[in-house]
């Protein structure tokens, strides 16, 4: 590490001579090549940020492995000039190896505003890709068809290459598939190719015959945006929704987001809605509760605690601990935005006997034992999860699993079983290439006694998936299976 600090100091001395070589704003060109010294400087900042700030850098990958990746990548930057896209392709595998879905590397905003993209969304089901949405107005495509290859590259090979660059929690691919469901266009553009035409070999869903589709790339802000269907999905499904199935004496509580802004979008308040929902559940003598988190990508962790307090049967530990990278302020005086950086107020941090740093319990009251509500729901609880259940959405599953308070149905969660890196975030644009790096500053840990694999997500006791045909016709196989479980228990 000392070598890198010396390199950093020497680069700072002459980086001002490179500032005239800007590539941004109206002058931005995606094929602009950055000099080796500029790339080395950005990489040094990139590495420094991760090693100084990230609280769980070696949670899933040993430090020696990450050091090797860092060193070998830096060694590639001493001779050739590279475009922003090529530089991204070198850095993204390092980020992917951290196995943290909240550690994100994005191209610059200038890059994101330009270029044609693949005009279809794909849906990934059990490792296979299917045509899900069509953004073209003048060309129909047979939705539901399985995609075998794109421009001659077989989908298994293509998926494997994309996975090498895409970050996700833990060591399982669920979160990566969720990312490709939403942003296949941008990752194909960044990591594979930028053709004017896409030739797709497919199997038609109905006829089962092989077909060839020729699809033109489109210049569209919608296609270039990330999470492009997020608002569309919110419009189709309420953020918070309660249904009572009186015949089954069952309530279905759908929570599609824990984000305050999403809840406010529908003019709702989380605590008020949940309180009213459980009052109704109690008054209608509901015996079984289904909590549906299959579309929940996260949000406010305090909402997770609030929700769980309505089903907890005894005092519980919401979190085992919150870790941070250091008990000192972090400063890199050469960069204005980092000169007064605080990972966490040192007064709120304690050093453990093992040398790690944890946030003191008195700083976060949810580190103390939590109490159930006065009249918590005492019936059976079923939690529906999927590969899109991430962050706070996945953490609720972790909490309910650890406290043995629910039966789980669906797919393995996109979030890690033992918690997540999150809390506050540091967002920085690298000085020369303007690549965007987002780094969490807290590691929220909740251990599950006797869980079979701490490096996976929450694995349901009942693994059930909707097929591509189910999605197109509106059939919900997962919910139907759960209701069958409830009916059979009543027999």
């Amino acid at each position: 590490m000392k070598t890198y600090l010396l390199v950093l100091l020497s680069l700072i001395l002459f980086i001002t001579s490179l500032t005239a070589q800007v590539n941004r704003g109206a002058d931005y060109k995606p094929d602009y090549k950055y000099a080796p010294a500029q790339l080395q400087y950005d990489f040094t900042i990139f590495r420094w940020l991760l090693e100084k700030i990230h609280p769980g850098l070696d949670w899933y990958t040993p430090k020696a492995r990450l050091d090797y990746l860092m060193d070998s990548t830096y060694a590639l930057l001493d001779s050739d000039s590279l475009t922003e896209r090529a530089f991204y392709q070198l850095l993204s595998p390092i980020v992917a190896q951290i196995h943290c879905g909240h550690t994100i590397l994005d191209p610059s905003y200038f890059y994101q505003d330009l270029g044609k993209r693949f005009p279809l969304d794909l849906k990934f089901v059990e490792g296979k890709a299917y045509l899900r949405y069509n953004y073209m107005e003048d060309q129909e495509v047979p939705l539901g068809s399985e995609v075998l290859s794109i421009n001659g590259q077989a989908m298994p090979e293509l998926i494997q290459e994309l996975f090498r660059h895409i970050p996700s929690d833990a060591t399982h691919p669920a979160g990566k598939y969720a990312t490709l469901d939403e942003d296949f266009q941008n990752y194909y553009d960044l990591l594979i190719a930028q053709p004017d035409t896409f030739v797709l070999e497919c199997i038609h869903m109905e006829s089962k015959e092989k077909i060839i589709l020729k699809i033109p790339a489109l210049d569209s802000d919608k296609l270039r945006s990330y999470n492009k269907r997020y608002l569309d999905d919110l419009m189709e499904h309420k953020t918070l929704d309660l249904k009572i199935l009186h015949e089954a004496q069952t309530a279905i509580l759908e929570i599609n987001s824990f984000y305050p802004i999403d809840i406010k979008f529908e003019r709702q308040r989380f605590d008020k809605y949940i309180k009213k929902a459980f009052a109704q559940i109690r008054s209608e003598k509901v015996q079984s509760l289904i909590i549906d988190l299959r579309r929940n990508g996260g949000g406010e962790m305090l909402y997770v605690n609030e929700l769980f307090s309505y089903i907890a049967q005894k005092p519980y530990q919401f979190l085992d601990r919150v870790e941070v990278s250091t008990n000192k302020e972090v400063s890199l005086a050469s960069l204005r935005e980092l000169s007064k950086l605080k990972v966490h107020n040192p007064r709120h941090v304690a050093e453990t006997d093992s040398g790690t740093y944890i946030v003191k319990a008195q700083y976060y009251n949810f580190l103390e034992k939590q109490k159930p509500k006065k009249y918590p729901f005492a019936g059976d609880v079923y939690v529906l999860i999927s590969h899109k259940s991430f962050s706070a959405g996945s953490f609720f599953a972790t909490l309910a699993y650890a406290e043995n308070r629910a039966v789980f149905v669906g797919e393995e969660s996109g979030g890690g079983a033992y918690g997540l890196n999150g809390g506050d975030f540091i967002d920085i644009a690298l000085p020369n290439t303007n690549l965007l790096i987002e780094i969490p500053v807290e590691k929220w840990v909740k251990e599950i006694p006797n869980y079979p694999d701490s490096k996976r997500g929450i694995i349901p006791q009942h693994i059930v998936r909707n097929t591509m045909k189910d999605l197109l016709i509106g059939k919900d196989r997962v919910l139907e299976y759960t209701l069958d479980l409830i009916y059979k228990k009543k027999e």
Side-chain angles (χ1 to χ4, degrees):
M1 187 59 193
K2 289 182 180 179
T3 301
Y4 277 92
L5 290 176
L6 290 173
V7 170
L8 175 59
L9 291 172
S10 63
L11 284 169
I12 290 171
L13 294 177
F14 65 87
I15 197 66
T16 52
S17 66
L18 299 171
T19 55
Q21 302 175 29
V22 295
N23 182 38
R24 60 191 65 175
D27 298 324
Y28 178 80
K29 295 180 177 59
D31 57 353
Y32 177 92
K33 290 190 174 183
Y34 296 89
Q38 291 176 300
L39 300 170
Q40 289 173 330
Y41 183 76
D42 276 12
F43 182 88
T44 305
I45 298 297
F46 165 81
R47 180 172 187 171
W48 184 91
L49 287 166
L50 288 172
E51 293 180 338
K52 287 290 185 181
I53 295 170
H54 202 289
L57 205 59
D58 58 353
W59 198 352
Y60 298 102
T61 301
K63 183 178 183 302
R65 170 63 178 162
L66 286 175
D67 285 345
Y68 171 79
L69 287 172
M70 296 278 195
D71 292 341
S72 58
T73 301
Y74 185 84
L76 299 174
L77 303 175
D78 62 355
S79 57
D80 293 337
S81 299
L82 298 175
T83 64
E84 177 188 340
R85 180 173 178 265
F87 188 50
Y88 176 94
Q89 292 173 358
L90 288 179
L91 268 57
S92 52
I94 297 173
V95 175
Q97 280 296 309
I98 299 170
H99 296 287
C100 169
H102 282 119
T103 304
I104 299 170
L105 182 71
D106 280 334
S108 69
Y109 291 123
F110 311 116
Y111 184 99
Q112 293 180 38
D113 285 342
L114 298 174
K116 298 178 180 180
R117 298 289 191 272
F118 182 67
L120 305 171
D121 275 349
L122 302 182
K123 175 67 179 177
F124 293 82
V125 180
E126 296 191 70
K128 295 182 179 181
Y130 299 87
L131 300 178
R132 183 68 176 102
Y133 292 107
N134 178 13
Y135 295 95
M136 298 180 293
E137 297 180 356
D138 57 352
Q139 183 174 341
E140 292 186 2
V141 297
L143 297 180
S145 298
E146 181 188 349
V147 181
L148 301 178
S149 68
I150 298 178
N151 287 352
Q153 186 174 18
M155 285 307 298
E157 176 190 330
L158 177 55
I159 291 170
Q160 185 177 13
E161 176 60 19
L162 291 170
F163 275 11
R164 196 169 68 86
H165 297 263
I166 294 175
S168 66
D169 272 13
T171 59
H172 60 103
K176 297 178 189 286
Y177 281 121
T179 295
L180 290 181
D181 280 351
E182 297 181 352
D183 292 320
F184 178 83
Q185 295 88 346
N186 287 319
Y187 285 102
Y188 190 96
D189 170 88
L190 277 166
L191 301 170
I192 305 300
Q194 299 172 323
D196 290 325
T197 302
F198 299 88
V199 179
L200 278 61
E201 182 184 9
C202 304
I203 297 178
H204 195 282
M205 186 174 69
E206 300 297 340
S207 69
K208 306 302 180 184
E209 295 179 350
K210 282 191 178 182
I211 56 175
I212 301 297
L213 303 175
K214 292 185 178 180
I215 308 296
L218 292 185
D219 189 340
S220 163
D221 289 337
K222 174 91 169 178
L223 291 173
R224 286 189 292 266
S225 64
Y226 285 79
N227 302 312
K228 64 184 67 59
R229 293 203 59 82
Y230 187 77
L231 286 179
D232 295 337
D233 290 341
L234 277 181
M235 297 296 289
E236 292 177 17
H237 304 276
K238 292 181 180 179
T239 307
L240 307 174
D241 193 24
L242 176 69
K243 295 183 178 70
I244 305 292
L245 306 181
H246 294 94
E247 183 179 328
Q249 294 178 299
T250 297
I252 303 173
L253 180 58
E254 191 172 338
I255 303 178
N256 291 316
S257 176
F258 283 121
Y259 283 104
I261 192 170
D262 294 340
I263 297 167
K264 188 177 180 180
F265 178 75
E266 294 187 351
R267 298 182 179 179
Q268 296 174 326
R269 279 180 48 191
F270 186 84
D271 53 350
K272 186 176 180 180
Y273 186 93
I274 296 300
K275 181 179 180 179
K276 184 178 179 180
F278 277 92
Q280 183 178 351
I281 287 169
R282 184 169 62 252
S283 69
E284 302 206 26
K285 295 180 172 49
V286 165
Q287 294 182 1
S288 300
L289 171 63
I290 299 172
I291 300 177
D292 191 346
L293 302 172
R294 286 176 291 169
R295 298 181 185 87
N296 194 312
E300 176 56 67
M301 289 286 280
L302 293 179
Y303 293 169
V304 173
N305 192 34
E306 179 72 5
L307 175 61
F308 189 77
S309 69
Y310 280 95
I311 65 171
Q313 302 302 292
K314 62 183 187 300
Y316 60 94
Q317 192 70 39
F318 178 65
L319 279 171
D320 291 326
R321 62 188 179 276
V322 174
E323 299 180 15
V324 291
S325 62
T326 180
N327 63 348
K328 297 179 174 62
E329 294 184 10
V330 178
S331 175
L332 181 60
S334 63
L335 284 182
R336 182 179 302 171
E337 57 266 48
L338 297 180
S339 60
K340 296 181 180 179
L341 180 65
K342 287 187 178 180
V343 173
H344 225 291
N345 190 320
R347 292 181 299 170
H348 301 148
V349 177
E351 185 174 2
T352 68
D353 293 339
S354 63
T356 60
Y357 300 98
I358 60 172
V359 177
K360 297 176 182 178
Q362 57 265 37
Y363 180 70
Y364 284 143
N365 61 13
F366 51 71
L367 287 169
E368 307 283 359
K369 276 281 187 181
Q370 304 295 297
K371 296 180 180 180
K373 294 298 182 184
K374 188 175 181 180
Y375 301 107
F377 176 75
D380 296 328
V381 178
Y382 300 82
V383 175
L384 311 186
I385 55 176
S386 78
H387 62 296
K388 290 190 175 182
S389 305
F390 176 64
S391 191
S394 177
F395 189 81
F396 181 88
T398 291
L399 181 58
Y401 203 111
E403 296 296 323
N404 196 28
R405 188 58 187 100
V407 173
F408 292 85
V409 185
E411 303 171 291
E412 184 172 0
S413 67
Y418 273 30
L420 56 109
N421 299 299
D424 292 330
F425 294 83
I426 302 299
D427 297 287
I428 296 295
L430 297 180
N432 294 301
T433 60
N434 286 288
L435 288 181
L436 305 168
I437 179 74
E438 180 176 88
I439 302 172
V441 303
E442 294 177 344
K443 178 180 175 182
W444 293 39
V445 180
K446 175 68 178 177
E447 296 178 355
I448 305 175
N450 302 316
Y451 194 71
D453 194 339
S454 63
K455 293 189 176 183
R456 296 284 296 272
I458 293 296
I459 303 172
Q461 293 95 341
H462 303 271
I463 296 177
V464 187
R465 298 180 179 89
N466 289 321
T467 67
M468 189 65 229
K469 188 172 184 178
D470 292 337
L471 295 172
L472 290 176
I473 66 175
K475 178 182 174 65
D476 193 340
R477 189 183 301 267
V478 179
L479 181 57
E480 290 177 3
Y481 182 96
T482 308
L483 290 171
D484 283 344
L485 289 177
I486 293 170
Y487 280 119
K488 286 177 182 177
K489 190 169 183 180
K490 293 179 182 294
E491 293 176 354

